Amino acid sequence: MSQAPLGVFDSGIGGLTVARRITQRLPHEALLYLGDTARVPWGNKSHETIQRYSLNIAFRLRDEGAKALVVACNTATAHALDVLEERLDLPVLGVVEPVARAAAQATRTSTLGVLGTRATVASGAYERALRRLDPGLRVLAQPCPLFVPLAEEGWTDGAVPREVARAYLRPFAGEPVDTLILGCTHYPLLASIIQEVAQDLLQRPVAVLDSAGATAEALATLLHEQRLLASSGDAPPAHRFWMTDLSSSFAEGWSRFFGAALTDVEHVDL
Ligand code: DGL
């Protein structure tokens, strides 16, 4: 079982930022990544739809023999983690809890900002996770829907993303926010500009944390505890990347999100 692949899914290609960190932290693990490029974005969809899509994909990955499941999408974690944990007989890890833990430890002012899709912010998932860790934390959340197309188009620097970041972060001005959670798969690509604008508006150093690194670390712990860690093989593990749509516009983004060229990308119907 430990040599079985890890199932990783996202609404599209954004979860490749999480997949990338998993391959760095756990180089012997083979990934079976499923990106729902035919139905992306999920960040503007309803709770019911996000749950239905998530279950649909999770069952498919389980049926393909995944040993554990990583919900690499913040929106899916925020709306469907509970139901996935309940309905699947596999270990399931989401991206909210690990970064919330890191952020709760990082803040010195007990005031955090959370940036995410509309659906993630509306769910209140980050507030709940942070307050479970420390009821004294103050959490200010801001939906940033335009960051997703900016990251996909590669507009991660320059006047346009800077102005967009300024508009989204303006409500935090005057607040003692010292830690920002990038609660969306796409935002790590905009991390430098978000940090620069935040520090300028807030007039203080701001720690910017994304889910990818914290999730890879939490996954290493989970696989170790469940005795599911893959042993080192002679050859590097063969990852498979499945997409529900294979348009060229997404293909251009793969390497930007994953940090390396993707091989073995296949179209899959759900
Ligand atoms: N993957 C989504 C997330 O992390 C962002 C893209 C979308 O809206 O589907 O929330």
Side-chain angles (χ1 to χ4, degrees):
M1 184 61 174
S2 59
Q3 296 311 108
L6 281 170
V8 180
F9 81 86
D10 177 52
S11 57
I13 60 172
L16 292 170
T17 57
V18 180
R20 170 189 196 168
R21 297 299 290 265
I22 295 173
T23 58
Q24 288 166 347
R25 177 65 185 81
L26 295 161
H28 305 307
E29 300 296 336
L31 306 191
L32 172 53
Y33 179 96
L34 201 155
D36 197 4
T37 43
R39 298 186 293 196
V40 73
W42 293 9
N44 301 325
K45 293 193 167 55
S46 68
H47 177 72
E48 290 70 27
T49 299
I50 297 163
Q51 284 206 340
R52 184 159 50 83
Y53 288 178
S54 300
L55 281 167
N56 177 214
I57 292 174
F59 289 142
R60 180 66 185 267
L61 292 172
R62 180 202 58 191
D63 295 347
E64 288 296 326
K67 64 180 174 183
L69 208 67
V70 179
V71 186
C73 178
N74 288 258
T75 303
T77 301
H79 286 270
L81 186 67
D82 295 1
V83 71
L84 292 169
E85 284 173 340
E86 208 177 283
R87 302 274 301 274
L88 284 152
D89 41 6
L90 291 176
V92 182
L93 183 69
V95 285
V96 170
E97 173 77 26
V99 70
R101 202 167 279 282
Q105 277 166 12
T107 182
R108 295 286 161 262
T109 60
S110 296
T111 310
L112 301 101
V114 174
L115 310 180
T117 62
R118 279 191 219 288
T120 296
V121 169
S123 75
Y126 272 102
E127 283 91 327
R128 282 194 300 281
L130 287 160
R131 297 233 180 77
R132 258 197 312 271
L133 294 162
D134 178 351
L137 294 176
R138 232 180 112 226
V139 185
L140 308 174
Q142 173 68 38
C144 307
L146 289 175
F147 282 164
V148 167
L150 285 174
E152 285 181 0
E153 292 297 328
W155 286 37
T156 53
D157 200 4
V160 174
R162 189 169 288 107
E163 266 321 296
V164 174
R166 192 164 282 282
Y168 284 147
L169 292 168
R170 197 162 289 126
F172 295 169
E175 298 284 356
V177 172
D178 70 343
T179 306
L180 271 185
I181 295 180
L182 304 185
C184 174
T185 48
H186 287 56
Y187 303 178
L189 275 68
L190 291 147
S192 332
I193 215 150
I194 292 171
Q195 185 167 41
E196 180 195 310
V197 169
Q199 295 190 156
D200 185 43
L201 272 171
L202 296 164
Q203 294 293 300
R204 66 167 74 235
V206 177
V208 174
L209 308 179
D210 71 67
S211 331
T215 301
E217 204 48 53
L219 180 63
T221 307
L222 176 89
L223 295 179
H224 175 72
E225 284 169 1
Q226 305 264 342
R227 298 180 186 281
L228 283 174
L229 277 172
S231 47
S232 54
D234 298 333
H239 305 307
R240 281 176 292 161
F241 298 93
W242 286 358
M243 305 286 169
T244 54
D245 181 76
L246 277 183
S247 75
S248 56
S249 55
F250 286 123
E252 282 162 23
W254 293 339
S255 55
R256 226 172 318 116
F257 283 78
F258 191 58
L262 289 199
T263 49
D264 287 321
V265 183
E266 286 169 59
H267 174 252
V268 70
D269 274 321
L270 291 170

